[in-house]
């Protein structure tokens, strides 16, 4: 069983930055594609960014150039650096581990962007 624990959310002003962290309970980067998703109130959960086993990254168009996904294999941790935040980035952000058999999700961390 894989456990994912997100942290780093909070309140930030428009234009500000936050870094989210997702700590995995076991070493999984060789077996799973890691990703960040978000869900705003009354909206569907959407993909934000992914990083493959080989380190290839992919981003939603809405965050390209502003967000960066990365990982620290030694710490079993995936990060999402979010810069130039906009009010429309406000959501609950979820960490995801996508495997060939099943996915694992974290509990989510709230990001609020407001002045």
């Amino acid at each position: 069983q894989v456990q994912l624990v997100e942290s780093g959310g909070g309140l930030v002003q428009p234009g500000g930055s936050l870094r989210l962290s997702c700590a995995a309970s076991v070493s999984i980067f060789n077996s799973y594609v890691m990703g960040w998703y978000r869900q705003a109130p009354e909206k569907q959960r959407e993909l934000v960014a992914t990083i493959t086993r080989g380190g290839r990254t992919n981003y939603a168009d809405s965050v390209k150039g502003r967000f960066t996904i990365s990982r620290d294999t030694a710490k079993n941790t995936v990060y999402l650096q979010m810069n130039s935040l906009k009010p429309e980035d406000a959501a609950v952000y979820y960490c995801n581990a996508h495997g060939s058999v099943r996915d694992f999700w974290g509990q989510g961390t709230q990001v609020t962007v407001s002045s």
Side-chain angles (χ1 to χ4, degrees), residues 3-21:
Q3 291 185 326
L4 303 174
V5 180
E6 301 102 332
S7 61
L11 172 64
V12 64
Q13 293 185 342
S17 298
L18 281 176
R19 189 177 79 157
L20 306 183
S21 299

Side-chain angles (χ1 to χ4, degrees), residues 18 38 48-49 59 62-69 80-86 89 93:
L18 281 176
R38 66 186 181 188
V48 177
Y59 298 92
S62 60
V63 307
K64 281 181 181 177
R66 300 188 298 122
F67 291 12
T68 303
I69 187 171
L80 184 68
Q81 178 66 44
M82 305 186 295
N83 299 328
S84 303
L85 282 160
K86 304 175 181 180
D89 294 318
Y93 282 70

Side-chain angles (χ1 to χ4, degrees), residues 15-86:
S17 298
L18 281 176
R19 189 177 79 157
L20 306 183
S21 299
C22 170
S25 57
V26 296
S27 178
I28 61 173
F29 296 155
N30 286 334
S31 303
Y32 292 85
V33 175
M34 301 301 297
W36 287 96
Y37 288 72
R38 66 186 181 188
Q39 187 167 18
E42 301 182 359
K43 291 188 176 181
Q44 289 189 335
R45 190 172 297 190
E46 63 176 359
L47 173 69
V48 177
T50 59
I51 184 166
T52 69
R53 292 179 287 270
R56 187 172 68 250
T57 58
N58 182 58
Y59 298 92
D61 288 342
S62 60
V63 307
K64 281 181 181 177
R66 300 188 298 122
F67 291 12
T68 303
I69 187 171
S70 63
R71 66 188 181 195
D72 185 329
T73 302
K75 296 182 178 179
N76 294 330
T77 300
V78 177
Y79 304 98
L80 184 68
Q81 178 66 44
M82 305 186 295
N83 299 328
S84 303
L85 282 160
K86 304 175 181 180

